[in-house]
């Protein structure tokens, strides 16, 4: 396994650096920079600890059985999108199912789609508690043993229920079976989230705590009833419902295969909206219902839930320090550490090892770059999570917003530009020194980290791929 093979090398190289650099820190500036580097390194170690063991589950050992209510939630999505998702849901080969179109619009056209396919149409006439409230309304008006949730843009494969329901026969305490997400975007697009779906979710399955991804998820109705339905405390229902089920002692299972094909935002505005919501939900749990202070979780489950939040905190709070301090050092000629001529030979092997480590995890460097580039979004989410009350939820638009959004990447652009200007400034006024090389190296790393998200801000038109709504056979990712 890649983690077991490379993580010890990452730990050793970075430990050597941390021990060496500690006595060479220059005042409080050096101390803060050291803490930021320590936290960055620890993030990789936490990833390794959580996912040292992984459980890849695909086919169930038992035959599918039980009745299923299929909930398709919609809220003002394009009618063609809803139409074809409903058509694919009706075509699923499992017979003992009822399909419900849960319209939070509501629109007579959507009701017409339900009538055309002979499925159930439900509209509650309010948007209270957003998607969670919509799903709970469906629960109140249905009665099957299991619930499959589908977003309006998630086209299911015909075999979805046949290939997932059997896992519930492993035990009455299996409350949820969640599947891998696949998206109709470019093969190298970061929305595929290879790191999360191929490593983090299988690692969490080892401890029976993979999280719901909101769509393509099957729940046991009796388990949902025990926790009083889909959870409405957070912005969206998926993460906190998973969290609550695990607290009550229920197990969840992750299937490392995609049985749905959906859309993912590619324009910067909707990327910010979606990723910011995910971060806010995770951070609200961390600050208000911290996994280390709630009852019912195992020790390793607590670490897994901490990891979800930790990478948002690192990106939002500590990465900006690693970006800003080299810039300040260039303009002031204030060295972050003493004996800086030895810094790069000792520091670079550990940094390179971290970058290569993520690169080996099914193109994890793509997730790593966007995680770093979204630091202003995660910083904002952290402050929102600390505020009283709950931020009003807004649905992520399913149609791309065309046009450049340069103003949305101004924070990243300003910090990076200041660093680029700072290099010749430092050379001109202070001459070339080891301090110049150190800071220039960090500016170069920053460019590698944030350039993809900056490029999104400069992109004028985003590709829309209508093939999503063709008939779906077997999904290959």
């Amino acid at each position: 396994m890649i983690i077991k093979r490379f993580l010890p090398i990452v730990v050793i190289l970075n430990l050597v650096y941390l021990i060496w650099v500690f006595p060479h820190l220059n005042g409080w500036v050096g101390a803060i920079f050291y803490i930021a580097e320590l936290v960055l390194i620890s993030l990789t170690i936490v990833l390794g600890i959580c996912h040292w063991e992984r459980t890849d589950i695909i086919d169930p050992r038992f035959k599918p059985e039980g009745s299923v209510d299929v909930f398709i939630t919609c809220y003002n999505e394009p009618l063609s999108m809803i139409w074809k998702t409903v058509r694919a849901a009706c075509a699923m080969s499992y017979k003992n199912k009822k399909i419900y179109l849960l319209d939070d619009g509501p629109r007579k056209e959507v009701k017409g789609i339900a009538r055309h396919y002979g499925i159930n149409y439900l509209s509650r006439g309010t948007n209270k508690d957003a998607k969670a409230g919509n799903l709970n309304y469906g629960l109140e008006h249905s009665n099957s043993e299991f619930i499959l949730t589908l977003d309006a843009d998630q086209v299911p494969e015909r075999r979805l229920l046949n290939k997932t329901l059997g896992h519930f026969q492993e035990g009455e305490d299996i409350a949820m079976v969640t599947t891998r997400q696949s998206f109709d975007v470019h093969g190298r697009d970061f929305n595929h989230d290879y790191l999360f779906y191929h490593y983090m979710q299988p690692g969490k399955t080892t401890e029976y705590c993979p999280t719901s991804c909101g769509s393509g998820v099957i729940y046991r109705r009796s388990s949902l009833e025990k926790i009083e339905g889909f959870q409405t405390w957070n912005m969206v229902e998926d993460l906190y419902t998973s969290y609550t089920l695990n607290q009550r002692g229920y197990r969840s299972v992750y299937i490392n295969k995609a049985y749905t094909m959906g859309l993912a935002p590619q324009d910067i505005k909707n990327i910010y909206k979606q990723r910011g919501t995910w971060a806010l939900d995770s951070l609200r749990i961390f600050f208000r219902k911290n996994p280390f202070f709630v009852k019912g979780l195992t020790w390793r489950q607590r670490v897994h839930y901490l990891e979800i939040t930790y990478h948002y905190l690192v990106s939002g709070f500590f990465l900006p320090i690693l970006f800003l301090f080299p810039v300040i050092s260039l303009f002031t000629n204030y060295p972050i550490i003493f004996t800086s001529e030895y810094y790069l030979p000792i520091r670079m092997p550990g940094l390179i090892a971290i970058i290569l480590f993520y690169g080996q995890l099914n193109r994890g460097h793509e997730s790593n770059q966007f995680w770093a580039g979204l630091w202003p979004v995660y910083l904002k989410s952290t402050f929102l999570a600390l505020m009283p009350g709950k931020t009003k939820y807004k649905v992520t638009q399913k149609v791309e917003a065309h046009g450049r959004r340069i103003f949305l990447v101004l924070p990243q652009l300003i910090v990076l530009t200041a660093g680029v200007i700072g290099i010749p400034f430092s050379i001109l006024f202070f001459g070339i020194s080891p301090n110049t090389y150190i800071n220039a190296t960090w500016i170069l790393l920053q460019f590698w980290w944030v350039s993809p998200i900056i490029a999104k801000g400069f992109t004028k038109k985003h590709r829309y791929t209508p093939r999503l709504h063709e008939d779906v056979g077997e999904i290959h990712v």
Side-chain angles (χ1 to χ4, degrees), residues 125-183:
T126 178
N127 302 126
K128 184 181 179 182
D129 295 323
K131 181 182 172 183
N134 197 9
L135 289 169
N136 284 329
Y137 189 75
L139 277 177
E140 295 170 7
H141 295 83
S142 60
N143 55 20
S144 292
E145 185 180 356
F146 300 102
I147 308 295
L148 166 65
T149 61
L150 291 171
D151 289 342
D153 67 321
Q154 290 281 333
V155 177
E157 184 182 322
R158 292 182 179 87
R159 305 176 302 162
L160 190 158
L161 292 171
N162 296 81
K163 290 292 188 177
T164 55
L165 281 175
H167 293 287
F168 285 99
Q169 310 307 318
E170 299 282 351
E172 288 294 320
D173 60 344
I174 301 292
M176 180 185 78
V177 174
T178 184
T179 60
R180 196 170 92 209
Q181 300 277 293
S182 62
F183 301 101

Side-chain angles (χ1 to χ4, degrees), residues 445-464:
L445 283 170
Q446 180 186 170
F447 179 83
W448 179 80
W449 261 322
V450 305
S451 57
I453 202 70
I454 290 177
K456 287 282 187 183
F458 280 85
T459 301
K460 185 176 182 180
K461 189 174 183 180
H462 304 277
R463 183 176 63 92
Y464 175 69

Side-chain angles (χ1 to χ4, degrees), residues 172-441:
E172 288 294 320
D173 60 344
I174 301 292
M176 180 185 78
V177 174
T178 184
T179 60
R180 196 170 92 209
Q181 300 277 293
S182 62
F183 301 101
D184 194 9
V185 293
H186 189 275
R188 300 197 67 83
D189 190 276
F190 80 103
N191 278 297
H192 289 296
D193 279 320
Y194 290 104
L195 184 62
F196 177 73
Y197 289 116
H198 286 272
Y199 282 89
M200 295 177 68
Q201 285 284 69
K204 295 179 188 305
T205 295
T206 302
E207 300 300 323
Y208 297 103
C209 63
T211 59
S212 165
C213 298
S215 185
V217 185
I218 305 96
Y219 299 88
R220 191 189 297 272
R221 178 183 291 271
S222 61
S223 302
L224 287 173
E225 290 173 346
K226 291 291 185 180
I227 63 170
E228 300 180 350
F230 293 93
Q231 299 300 288
T232 61
W233 176 79
N234 235 343
M235 296 281 289
V236 290
E237 88 296 339
D238 46 14
L239 176 61
Y240 192 61
T241 298
S242 305
Y243 189 62
T244 305
L245 286 169
N246 284 146
Q247 281 183 258
R248 295 292 185 90
Y250 290 108
R251 296 185 293 162
S252 50
V253 174
Y254 170 68
I255 309 304
N256 196 3
K257 180 174 173 58
Y259 289 104
T260 60
M261 177 72 78
L263 293 176
Q266 298 192 57
D267 65 292
I268 191 72
K269 180 181 178 181
N270 282 316
I271 289 171
Y272 277 19
K273 162 64 185 66
Q274 184 183 72
R275 301 283 163 160
T277 299
W278 294 350
L280 178 55
D281 267 16
S282 300
L283 290 160
R284 288 185 85 242
I285 290 176
F286 177 77
F287 290 124
R288 306 184 190 197
K289 299 178 183 288
N290 191 285
F292 283 97
F293 299 104
V294 298
K295 297 179 180 179
L297 299 176
T298 67
W299 181 84
R300 289 191 62 85
Q301 285 177 338
R302 297 177 195 277
V303 177
H304 276 286
Y305 277 107
L306 172 67
E307 180 203 24
I308 296 173
T309 300
Y310 194 44
H311 80 277
Y312 293 125
L313 286 173
V314 175
S315 176
F317 263 67
F318 294 98
L319 269 186
I321 294 173
L322 299 178
F323 294 160
L324 284 169
F325 276 33
V327 176
I328 295 171
S329 179
L330 285 169
F331 280 100
T332 63
N333 201 35
Y334 184 93
I336 296 173
I337 63 168
F338 297 115
T339 61
S340 54
E341 63 270 18
Y342 299 109
Y343 178 86
L344 288 179
I346 297 176
R347 183 68 190 102
M348 289 310 296
L351 270 177
I352 293 172
I354 290 176
I355 293 172
L356 293 177
F357 172 73
Y358 281 102
Q360 292 294 314
L361 301 179
N362 278 331
R363 293 170 16 204
H365 55 77
E366 294 162 9
S367 300
N368 193 261
Q369 284 178 294
F370 270 87
W371 158 79
L374 289 170
W375 65 262
V377 178
Y378 298 151
L379 181 60
K380 176 184 176 182
S381 295
T382 303
F383 284 116
L384 289 175
L386 291 168
M387 294 176 64
K390 183 172 71 171
T391 304
K392 185 178 180 180
Y393 176 72
K394 295 181 180 179
V395 176
T396 302
Q397 296 298 313
K398 299 299 190 296
V399 178
E400 301 294 339
H402 297 309
R404 296 185 180 91
R405 297 290 190 274
I406 299 173
F407 68 95
L408 290 176
V409 293
L410 278 179
Q412 300 96 320
L413 201 57
I414 289 171
V415 175
L416 184 59
T417 302
V420 172
I421 294 173
I423 295 172
F425 179 91
S426 178
I427 295 173
L428 179 63
F429 287 94
F430 308 117
I432 299 177
S433 68
N435 191 54
T436 310
Y437 295 124
I438 291 173
N439 295 319
T441 299

